[in-house]
Amino acid sequence: MKKFLTTGATAVALVTAGAAHAEFPMDDNITFVIPYSPGGGFDTIVRQFAPAMERAMGTTVVPENISGAGGARGGQSVHRADPDGYTIGVYNIPGLTVNEVLGKDQGFKLDEVTWLANLAVATYALAVAADSGINSVEDLCALDQPAKMSDTGATSTAAVTTRITFGILGCDIVDVTGYAGSNDAMIAVISGEVNATIKPITSLAKYLDGDGGTGDMKLILTLTTEEAVPGVPTATDIGHPELAKFTLNRVIGGPPGMPAEVVSALEEGLRAASEDPEVTAWAEGAGVELEFVNAADTTALMNNLSSFYQQYKDLAAVAE
Amino acid sequence: MGLDALLDAFLSVLNGGSLTFLMAGVLLGLTFGVIPGLGGTTALALLIPVTYTLDPLSAMYLAGGVMGATSFGGSISAILLNTPGTAPNAATCFDGYPLARQGKAGMAIGASATASALGGLIGLFTLLLFIPVAREVVLSFGSSEFFLLTVLGLAAIAVSIKGKLLRGLIAACIGLLLAFTGANQFTGETRFTGGINYLWEGIPLVPALTGLFAISQMIELALKGGSVADDATVKEAKNMRIKGVSEGVFAVFKHWPVLLRGSLIGTVIGAIPGLGGTVASFLSYSSTAQTAKDRDTFGKGNIKGVIAPEAANNAKDGGSLIPTVAFGIPGSAETAVFLGILVLHGIEPGPQILLQNEREVYGLIVALTVSAIAASVLGLIFARLLVLITRIDVNIVVPVVVTLSLTGVYVLEGRMADVAVATIIGIFGYLMIRFDYPRLTLVIAFVLGEIAERSYHQVRLISDGNVIEYMLGRPISVILIIATIVTFFLPAMRKLPWRRMVGRAI
């Protein structure tokens, strides 16, 4: 009797599982986990992509905000979900990568995540006040006192980028952390509290000269290999192309062990959404750099990123 | 500048659909305001997904309606149940609740409604005046001024506790301990988290305040039984409640300096990102209580103790738009959500926000103005009805309030741990009431502690260790230092023989 029951249960499980695969994504809503509160960058991109994914995949996509622990809590809840494709999430990358390299227990391992796609990328630049008289990285490193930089939290991606960058350049700095947001950190440069800051180019644009910017700040370096802003030297120009590895990504993943056909269906849905006219029009207006990367390449990118930060582990750690 | 746009916005709000969104926002704001634990930020956060399908301007009307109405809504529960509906209303409890117990709840609500509406108007008027110099205002407040403002806030509280100095300081130390929980912004290390990663980002404000004020007060009421208003006063108050409301309205005009000071404090504090309504209303309350001639009656049902925080609380909304129009950065949690709504609609808020998104910004200003007035008018109409809450048996009030406020705490982030925090702090808060420790100093230290620590470390790094020298070189910092010293010595100066002279000078 017991055996019969077990067999029966297994059969039912097999049938439902089989049906789920055949039907994906038709028999349930897809929950799209956002590891931060509504209104931020992670929330916005997901809420823009969700309707476009619905159009592409013919199912309902429900964004769900699960905030806390620097994005780790959202990642944990995706990690615990069934790997049936009905729960996916956007990850705080490279924030989670850096924390993992520094040995912080985040409740799950990034290399167990089933990576699906990369949707957008932001590149960094080094900015100073327009009227500061600092015109190059050499100027900044040759000040009487170590140059002062501004950042939000000490473990924020921009702060880690700042410490590693200047560590590689062999230039002494004081990173003044604790600003409430990246805008506050940039205003500290404008008001002269600090000398410079490293922030995504798209965030800095509003304080630069031209194209609706105020002209309060100027760029002295972009962390790119190719010229990103006319007339501004790149990481390659100053002989450190490895600095171009610092980017801010919007990476999508799911629970460990997702079946290949579900991965490719989601990958395809996300790709179609990234080409949706409404999404591209929004990205244009909001200054978001869309850059779709497929599942295989995203997995490679994540491993690559992990070893990159592993290499600079000592510089990434906060000096006492 | 901008007057045409402002007129346009006023005219367009009168056209059909916009008014519907605005009034929907007002009703929602009032409701969320009245319920302890649910506040403006919660309402707006829940609305974000809804606004996705609206055009940006309608979204602004809805958001403005909510923002303008929550703080008055919150004062109703503060007055009637000694339970602030939103965190900034905590200061309204001190005199609002004693008034309710004396059967003068109508008067308190009337004063709160009028002070809220007028405070909101003054705040927005100040905002319009400030728009041309908004940039300079924001740039002149650096880490040094942030730090000194928190010191001023802490000092004001320290001297406002009468006769319970030691207990007040103990409570403040506990507040600081709670504030320092979580990741250190300078080393990235976590403190006092006990290995629980929920605490990495510190103890969340809304659950903590809900516990400290709403839950603890409900425990107190449940154990005491009866109803909020004394039986004796209920009988006496029959006449009082009829004329009470208009008496409250007139009290605001009679005490116009209190209204004006509260509004100005609200606007200035609102303009400084990160300080917010709670600090504004506490500073307004304590400065009024300290400088008043009849300061001994504060805490026992002085109507000025209702006017001051409520004026500041609504004026802060106008002030919090100053950094928004200057740099596109939020001045409060509510404006942060407002900017989030713009991003959702493909608008990148930046320093040019006033030029590029004039319609949306002025739409929000108009919505705030109309909302503050509409909420108060609604409040005045229903005040007599609302007062009846104080006569309801607490066995009915308590379960309703506890359920609603804990649900609100859960809804904000969807974390059960937030509910646990509210409950634990609620029990702790009840013990504080029971053993007569002031909860006020705990709250202020909790709210200000983190900003004080953060900005102090920033000043230390920026000034290369010469903190005092650096501060003395900045005019606004010097003013704040003087204000702090005066605050400290005010009670002492009053005791001196020449106190009348000093009294007049201040």
Side-chain angles (χ1 to χ4, degrees):
Chain A
M1 183 65 191
K2 195 180 172 194
K3 189 176 181 196
F4 172 73
L5 270 181
T6 323
T7 323
T10 318
V12 170
L14 277 176
V15 169
T16 35
H21 286 180
E23 297 286 324
F24 185 83
M26 298 320 284
D27 54 12
D28 204 351
N29 296 337
I30 297 177
T31 302
F32 205 143
V33 173
I34 304 157
Y36 287 95
S37 310
F42 286 93
D43 182 66
T44 307
I45 195 165
V46 170
R47 288 188 192 278
Q48 288 296 333
F49 266 76
M53 277 178 79
E54 290 183 346
R55 282 192 286 275
M57 302 177 75
T59 186
T60 307
V61 179
V62 186
E64 190 180 340
N65 302 82
I66 302 179
S67 60
R73 206 173 149 262
Q76 286 166 15
S77 81
V78 174
H79 210 78
R80 279 195 302 264
D82 293 330
D84 54 8
Y86 291 110
T87 309
I88 58 172
V90 60
Y91 287 75
N92 173 22
I93 303 298
L96 296 174
T97 318
V98 171
N99 277 343
E100 194 170 280
V101 166
L102 293 178
K104 214 167 183 179
D105 178 15
Q106 306 185 102
F108 68 102
K109 292 271 183 298
L110 283 171
D111 60 6
E112 290 169 7
V113 175
T114 308
W115 297 112
L116 299 169
N118 175 70
L119 301 185
V121 70
T123 42
Y124 285 105
L126 175 61
V128 295
D131 55 7
S132 65
I134 299 170
N135 291 310
S136 64
V137 177
E138 290 89 71
D139 289 354
L140 188 67
C141 294
L143 297 174
D144 296 337
Q145 301 274 357
K148 294 186 186 79
M149 311 286 293
S150 57
D151 269 307
T152 51
T155 51
S156 70
T157 311
V160 171
T161 303
T162 302
R163 285 196 299 272
I164 302 181
T165 299
F166 284 92
I168 290 174
L169 294 173
C171 168
D172 231 8
I173 54 149
V174 174
D175 195 15
V176 181
T177 52
Y179 286 96
S182 60
N183 276 308
D184 305 71
M186 291 187 271
I187 286 168
V189 175
I190 299 172
S191 76
E193 260 192 23
V194 297
N195 302 114
T197 193
I198 289 182
K199 290 287 166 287
I201 297 177
T202 46
S203 314
L204 288 163
K206 51 185 174 269
Y207 302 111
L208 301 177
D209 207 9
D211 196 24
T214 56
D216 286 313
M217 288 208 270
K218 62 187 176 192
L219 301 183
I220 54 172
L221 176 71
T222 59
L223 302 188
T224 55
T225 46
E226 279 154 36
E227 186 171 82
V229 180
V232 179
T234 64
T236 316
D237 293 339
I238 62 163
H240 287 284
E242 69 270 28
L243 297 179
K245 288 250 188 185
F246 294 110
T247 50
L248 194 62
N249 301 63
R250 300 287 188 227
V251 183
I252 311 301
M258 283 168 72
E261 63 270 26
V262 173
V263 169
S264 56
L266 284 165
E267 183 186 16
E268 183 49 32
L270 287 161
R271 190 198 56 74
S274 71
E275 287 162 10
D276 190 288
E278 280 190 26
V279 171
T280 49
W282 160 78
E284 179 82 15
V288 172
E289 246 178 276
L290 292 180
E291 190 180 292
F292 182 80
V293 177
N294 68 24
D297 291 345
T298 305
T299 310
L301 177 89
M302 293 302 297
N303 292 334
N304 204 334
L305 212 56
S306 196
S307 45
F308 172 70
Y309 281 104
Q310 193 69 44
Q311 191 184 340
Y312 294 109
K313 193 177 168 179
D314 296 339
L315 292 175
V318 185
E320 281 296 320
Chain B
M1 142 177 157
L3 268 182
D4 298 348
L6 193 63
L7 274 179
D8 275 353
F10 258 112
L11 291 177
S12 78
V13 83
L14 298 174
N15 291 334
S18 321
L19 205 58
T20 316
F21 284 114
L22 182 53
M23 291 318 290
V26 171
L27 288 177
L28 203 70
L30 269 178
T31 315
F32 273 64
V34 168
I35 301 170
L38 291 175
T41 329
T42 321
L44 287 172
L46 291 175
L47 275 179
I48 282 189
V50 179
T51 63
Y52 183 73
T53 52
L54 302 177
D55 67 283
L57 203 58
S58 303
M60 287 303 101
Y61 287 136
L62 194 59
V66 171
M67 272 170 77
T70 39
S71 56
F72 169 64
S75 75
I76 297 176
S77 10
I79 292 166
L80 299 180
L81 298 171
N82 202 17
T83 302
T86 70
N89 300 113
T92 311
C93 295
F94 301 129
D95 281 288
Y97 186 63
L99 281 168
R101 298 207 45 151
Q102 293 159 22
K104 295 182 192 162
M107 179 182 175
I109 291 180
S112 161
T114 317
S116 294
L118 293 178
L121 288 182
I122 295 172
L124 289 166
F125 184 69
T126 321
L127 166 70
L128 293 178
L129 286 180
F130 264 112
I131 283 180
V133 291
R135 210 188 122 83
E136 284 70 25
V137 172
V138 175
L139 285 182
S140 60
F141 275 87
S143 308
S144 161
E145 287 75 24
F146 265 59
F147 173 67
L148 290 167
L149 263 169
T150 58
V151 173
L152 176 63
L154 291 168
I157 302 314
V159 297
S160 69
I161 30 176
K162 281 166 276 178
K164 291 189 261 189
L165 189 64
L166 189 60
R167 282 161 186 246
L169 291 178
I170 290 172
C173 287
I174 294 171
L176 287 177
L177 198 70
L178 296 179
F180 294 154
T181 305
N184 177 334
Q185 296 292 323
F186 288 84
T187 63
E189 280 175 3
T190 49
R191 302 176 292 193
F192 312 135
T193 58
I196 303 168
N197 66 19
Y198 165 77
L199 291 173
W200 282 2
E201 272 143 34
I203 293 176
L205 186 67
V206 172
L209 294 187
T210 306
L212 199 63
F213 288 107
I215 304 298
S216 61
Q217 182 60 27
M218 288 306 120
I219 299 175
E220 158 89 0
L221 277 182
L223 293 175
K224 215 166 61 184
S227 65
V228 169
D230 302 347
D231 289 343
T233 54
V234 169
K235 279 177 208 133
E236 268 171 38
K238 288 268 153 66
N239 303 325
M240 196 65 93
R241 92 185 141 121
I242 295 163
K243 60 176 182 179
V245 178
S246 53
E247 210 178 296
V249 174
F250 289 126
V252 177
F253 291 100
K254 193 177 147 206
H255 301 295
W256 61 269
V258 175
L259 173 79
L260 209 59
R261 176 173 34 204
S263 304
L264 287 179
I265 291 177
T267 314
V268 172
I269 300 292
I272 302 161
L275 288 183
T278 312
V279 178
S281 55
F282 275 123
L283 268 184
S284 173
Y285 178 85
S286 62
S287 78
T288 303
Q290 273 174 55
T291 52
K293 283 199 191 90
D294 52 353
R295 57 187 174 279
D296 292 336
T297 63
F298 276 84
K300 294 170 191 156
N302 190 321
I303 197 72
K304 285 186 270 181
V306 174
I307 299 169
E310 284 308 313
N313 198 359
N314 270 54
K316 143 232 127 195
D317 287 336
S320 68
L321 282 169
I322 290 177
T324 309
V325 298
F327 287 103
I329 61 169
S332 65
E334 284 90 349
T335 43
V337 183
F338 152 68
L339 292 176
I341 292 174
L342 288 185
V343 175
L344 204 58
H345 286 91
I347 299 168
E348 163 81 7
Q352 308 286 19
I353 188 170
L354 199 58
L355 300 176
Q356 288 167 356
N357 307 301
E358 202 177 48
R359 263 161 54 89
E360 286 77 16
V361 173
Y362 282 108
L364 183 72
I365 293 178
V366 168
L368 277 172
T369 316
V370 177
S371 169
I373 298 171
S376 296
V377 170
L378 280 177
L380 289 176
I381 293 172
F382 293 112
R384 284 167 203 179
L385 217 62
L386 289 166
V387 170
L388 296 177
I389 293 175
T390 58
R391 320 251 166 98
I392 299 174
D393 189 337
V394 290
N395 288 323
I396 296 166
V397 175
V398 172
V400 172
V401 174
V402 169
T403 313
L404 284 176
S405 53
L406 288 184
T407 309
V409 165
Y410 177 74
V411 163
L412 187 59
E413 298 278 0
R415 294 188 295 217
M416 209 53 208
D418 287 347
V419 179
V421 165
T423 311
I424 294 165
I425 296 189
I427 294 167
F428 181 75
Y430 170 69
L431 293 176
M432 291 183 74
I433 301 177
R434 177 76 181 68
F435 295 103
D436 199 22
Y437 281 80
R439 287 171 294 169
L440 168 64
T441 52
L442 189 154
V443 172
I444 289 298
F446 178 57
V447 173
L448 295 179
E450 204 254 328
I451 306 170
E453 186 206 21
R454 205 151 44 94
S455 46
Y456 173 73
H457 280 295
Q458 288 180 328
V459 178
R460 187 177 52 81
L461 291 173
I462 291 164
S463 65
D464 297 307
N466 306 317
V467 176
I468 297 189
E469 205 176 308
Y470 178 81
M471 283 176 177
L472 291 179
R474 298 174 65 95
I476 298 183
S477 292
V478 174
I479 295 172
L480 290 170
I481 292 173
I482 295 171
T484 306
I485 296 172
V486 169
T487 304
F488 257 120
F489 289 103
L490 205 56
M493 283 194 280
R494 284 210 182 97
K495 288 191 182 122
L496 296 176
W498 39 277
R499 67 179 209 188
R500 274 187 209 135
M501 263 163 60
V502 178
R504 241 177 256 136
I506 296 159

